[in-house]
Structures are given as C-alpha cells and as structure tokens.
Amino acid sequence: MINSKYFFQGFKSIKGLDSPALALGASFIAIGALLKNIGFNLGQSIFSTFLTYALPGSLVMAESFLIGASLINIFLAVWLVNIRLYPMTVSLMPLLLHKSQPRWKYYLSCHFIAVSAWLIMKSNYQSIEKKHRIDFWIGIGTGTWSVAIVSTIIGFLASDYLNKDMMIGLAIVNPVYFTCMMVGAMKSLQISLSIILGAILGPAFFFISPEWSILYGGVSAGTIAYYVGEFK
Amino acid sequence: MSDISNNIILVILVTSFATYLSRFLGVVSSEKIDETSKIFKWFNCIAYSVLAALIARMVVFPAGELAESAIFIRLFVVVVSVVMFLFTKRNLVYPTVASAIMLAILNNYLSI
C-alpha cells in the first residue's frame, strides 16, 4: 500500500543537520505550554495538534478562545490565517500526483502540509521518482507531525518550568528556521523575488489590513515575481 | 463532560476543519493542474511569497511572547542567524539554537 522504503526515507528527514525537528519542537513546546495556560487538558492539547497541525492556526485558536470569540468567528479567523495552505497545496500536489497511486493517499496526506514539511519536500522531490513521491511525502509528513505531537506533550508537561525568557527564546526559533530555509530556497530569480517581495509587502500591508496582510502581500508579491520571471 | 470541555472540543474541531479546508481544496484543484503549466508556476510564486509574508509578519508584528521584545533586537537576531546559516554551509542547527539564546540574553540586557 505504502512503499516502506520511500516512507522511511522521508521519515528520516527529521534527523540530520537540516532537520526541522528543532524548530518544530520549539514551536509546539510553546503551543503545549500555551494550551495548558488557557485551560486545555493534556488530551485536548494533543487532540488539537493531532487534528490541526498548523502553528498560526493554533495560535489564533488560542487567542480567540481566550477572548471568548464565537465558533463562527474562530472559524473565519483560522481559515483566513491558514488560507496560505491552499497555494502551498496547489504548488506541491501536482508534483506528487501519479496515475498508479490511489486518491485517498492525497486527500489524507494533505493534512501534513505545513511550512516545514512543505519546504523539505520542495527541496527534495526531484531526487525521487514521480511514482514514489507520495510515499516519500507521507513519510516526511508523519515524521514532522509526530515531532509536533510529542513536543505539544512536552510543552504541556513542562509549562510550569518555562519562564518568560525561555518562552521568548522558543518563539524566535520558528521564524529564524523558516527564514534560513527560505534563503536556502532562493535558487531562481522568480522564487528569490517572490520571497523578498513577500517579506516586504506582507508587513507593509499590515498597515492597511492586519487580517488580510499576508494574503494581500503574498498574492501581489507572487504575481509581480511571476511576471518579472516570465517576461524578463 | 462539562460545558467547558465540550466547548474546547468544538473549538478544536472548528479550527481543524477551517485548516483542513484549504488543504482539501488544494488537492481538488491540483488534479487539474499540470506541473509544467503557467498556473502552476504562478501558484508556486504565490506560495513562496505568502510564506515569506507570514514569516516577516511573525518577526515584525509578532503575536504572543515575542511581542515583548524590541523589534530591533528581533531583526538583529534574525540577520545574525541567517549570516550564521550561510557561513556554516547551510547548517540549520547552529542558527536556530543560537537565535533562542541570543534573543533571551539581549532581551534581558537591552530592554528597559
């Protein structure tokens, strides 16, 4: 059903010097501690990471829950912050689609689409034959997702011992890791421009609309970069 | 089960549904998109720029704990970490570990 050779090859991406485990671990330890502080029990915290597995969405959930937002407002806020997953999926899945593979693999494994797994897959897919890419991807996804779940448990249990300095230190690890990964991904003009313009326009649009800034900034930056790359 | 824990379960389910929705619709669209097509390339650019926008926002306008540090300290830590990444043959462990330590220390000694 799933080719174990490729699955484990993907799973092993959580080891090694470019492993996302540290960054993911740091952020989900912070999430575990945060969920405990807002009143979730251990089971609920695990359930949350298990089912959502997207950091900004979990943060928005925690904030909205604290201020007692309605379910529909939570839905809209989370949907908006996680809508980036749509272009991420569309720019990943066509690389993994293969006629011989059953569709359920794609619909189940899209749950693993999150920045860390996505960046690893994007930088490694060319080394895997197309037919086996989905199994490789399921391996990466299972590996990173497991790290997130285990870290949520650690954060929940350790929350009493984490002081403010440690929490601030943990919070920077994730943006730093992703910034380095993005710098590493700048291999063509189009992608480099997309990343640089996105990093400028995202915060710039924050002054116009904080909720929509990522989407507005990202779509305009990506579109400019696309045209510059196509017609230069 | 009490009302509060029922409510927490509902909040989690709503959050995960709102998150899965974009992933699911992405797979539906992917079935019709060829990896060599222009629309694929466009989406690829958008995916990278949306991520860059998200990460930049986490650093410039952070939520939660990070908001309690000064922006110049955060930017300094990110720049030093990227330089470290480039000078260590793209090792990701050094810059990530160093960033946490740098921020915790600088935040204590430079903030008023």
Side-chain angles (χ1 to χ4, degrees):
Chain A
M1 205 158 61
I2 291 174
N3 185 315
S4 59
K5 179 184 158 212
Y6 293 95
F7 176 88
F8 284 110
Q9 197 182 339
F11 193 90
K12 277 192 291 192
S13 63
I14 58 172
K15 291 197 323 189
L17 288 181
D18 55 353
S19 161
L22 216 62
L24 261 177
S27 4
F28 279 93
I29 285 175
I31 284 281
L34 176 70
L35 293 181
K36 180 170 186 201
N37 291 335
I38 65 168
F40 280 36
N41 65 31
L42 181 60
Q44 291 157 344
S45 306
I46 296 170
F47 188 58
S48 168
T49 298
F50 184 89
L51 274 190
T52 303
Y53 183 48
L55 194 73
S58 298
L59 284 174
V60 167
M61 175 191 75
E63 282 170 17
S64 317
F65 179 76
L66 264 188
I67 58 166
S70 67
L71 288 176
I72 187 81
N73 279 331
I74 295 179
F75 176 86
L76 289 174
V78 172
W79 177 72
L80 203 57
V81 77
N82 279 341
I83 204 165
R84 71 175 190 291
L85 295 167
Y86 179 77
M88 287 169 69
T89 308
V90 174
S91 59
L92 186 74
M93 282 302 173
L95 303 169
L96 317 182
L97 278 171
H98 195 271
K99 288 192 295 288
S100 67
Q101 295 283 6
R103 283 294 171 269
W104 62 263
K105 283 190 182 177
Y106 299 89
Y107 285 97
L108 263 187
S109 70
C110 69
H111 178 59
F112 299 138
I113 294 182
V115 189
S116 45
W118 186 86
L119 283 168
I120 301 172
M121 190 66 204
K122 285 295 251 185
S123 54
N124 288 306
Y125 76 92
Q126 278 164 322
S127 62
I128 311 285
E129 269 176 81
K130 196 162 184 190
K131 182 171 185 261
H132 299 298
R133 282 179 191 165
I134 186 70
D135 292 337
F136 180 68
W137 164 249
I138 293 171
I140 296 179
T142 311
T144 47
W145 188 48
S146 314
V147 171
I149 293 168
V150 171
S151 307
T152 304
I153 299 173
I154 296 173
F156 187 94
L157 297 176
S159 76
D160 292 342
Y161 306 99
L162 294 170
N163 63 28
K164 195 139 233 133
D165 289 333
M166 289 156 94
M167 289 296 278
I168 288 182
L170 285 177
I172 194 76
V173 168
N174 201 44
V176 162
Y177 173 80
F178 290 139
T179 306
C180 291
M181 283 291 272
M182 297 292 257
V183 169
M186 291 187 185
K187 284 171 184 155
S188 71
L189 173 73
Q190 231 170 11
I191 300 302
S192 309
L193 257 187
S194 302
I195 293 171
I196 293 165
L197 289 175
I200 297 168
L201 292 181
F205 274 102
F206 192 84
F207 294 105
I208 299 168
S209 165
E211 294 93 10
W212 292 87
S213 62
I214 294 172
L215 203 60
Y216 287 167
V219 172
S220 45
T223 307
I224 297 169
Y226 169 78
Y227 279 109
V228 171
E230 287 298 284
F231 301 109
K232 65 157 185 240
Chain B
M1 246 190 331
S2 69
D3 278 356
I4 293 212
S5 72
N6 271 330
N7 192 22
I8 290 178
I9 299 289
L10 265 180
V11 165
I12 294 171
L13 289 174
V14 163
T15 303
S16 56
F17 177 67
T19 306
Y20 184 73
L21 189 64
S22 298
R23 292 169 171 145
F24 173 83
L25 292 175
V27 182
V28 174
S29 312
S30 296
E31 306 245 12
K32 294 169 208 102
I33 294 178
D34 189 82
E35 59 174 294
T36 54
S37 64
K38 288 194 163 151
I39 189 144
F40 177 79
K41 270 180 131 178
W42 180 60
F43 268 112
N44 197 33
C45 291
I46 288 184
Y48 277 102
S49 53
V50 167
L51 283 188
L54 177 75
I55 295 159
R57 205 187 81 169
M58 285 161 89
V59 176
V60 181
F61 301 107
E65 305 285 342
L66 266 190
E68 290 168 37
S69 59
I71 181 165
F72 73 90
I73 298 180
R74 294 194 300 267
L75 288 175
F76 173 79
V77 169
V78 171
V79 171
V80 172
S81 308
V82 170
V83 171
M84 206 183 268
F85 168 72
L86 294 174
F87 277 92
T88 53
K89 293 182 187 148
R90 319 215 150 185
N91 179 308
L92 280 156
V93 176
Y94 298 138
T96 43
V97 173
S99 68
I101 299 169
M102 270 191 289
L103 186 69
I105 294 174
L106 290 176
N107 195 46
N108 264 320
Y109 291 98
L110 290 182
S111 58
I112 307 130

